[in-house]
Amino acid sequence: MPYFCMLGGMDTSTSAAETVIRELGGLTATARLFDIRPPSVFGWKATGIPSARLQTLKAWAQLPVGVTLPNPDIGPQRVASALRAAGLVQVSSQAAA
């Protein structure tokens, strides 16, 4: 099983992981979201977002507004925005309209 995921030909091992981390507020904010240490998140820049973490992000992005995530500074909309910015989720035509 691969360590990183691909969508639309882009893997999360480089620019997508960096984009997600940046959009979520940096290493520390992203680490707080998963209750892990910042060096673990830093490693995503070289190895990609682990598949299980990416699936969790995608699930969080589907939650309704107002749901509190493990890092209360980051909500479902911000997660969804980060994934879109990284090209890791497809935007439906209805959502884009």
Side-chain angles (χ1 to χ4, degrees):
M1 182 161 38
Y3 190 68
F4 57 87
C5 294
M6 296 185 74
L7 178 69
M10 182 195 311
D11 68 50
T12 61
S13 64
T14 56
S15 63
E18 290 178 9
T19 299
V20 168
I21 293 165
R22 182 183 65 248
E23 294 292 321
L24 291 177
L27 293 170
T28 301
T30 304
R32 283 187 63 207
L33 191 58
F34 287 102
D35 194 27
I36 59 177
R37 296 171 46 104
S40 297
V41 175
F42 181 80
W44 299 359
K45 293 181 178 187
T47 62
I49 301 171
S51 297
R53 302 287 189 200
L54 182 56
Q55 292 307 311
T56 299
L57 287 168
K58 288 180 178 182
W60 284 339
Q62 299 298 315
L63 294 174
V65 175
V67 172
T68 302
L69 300 180
N71 179 347
D73 296 331
I74 299 174
Q77 286 183 313
R78 188 164 175 190
V79 173
S81 176
L83 293 173
R84 279 193 304 274
L88 295 174
V89 293
Q90 296 174 342
V91 179
S92 69
S93 57
Q94 289 180 338

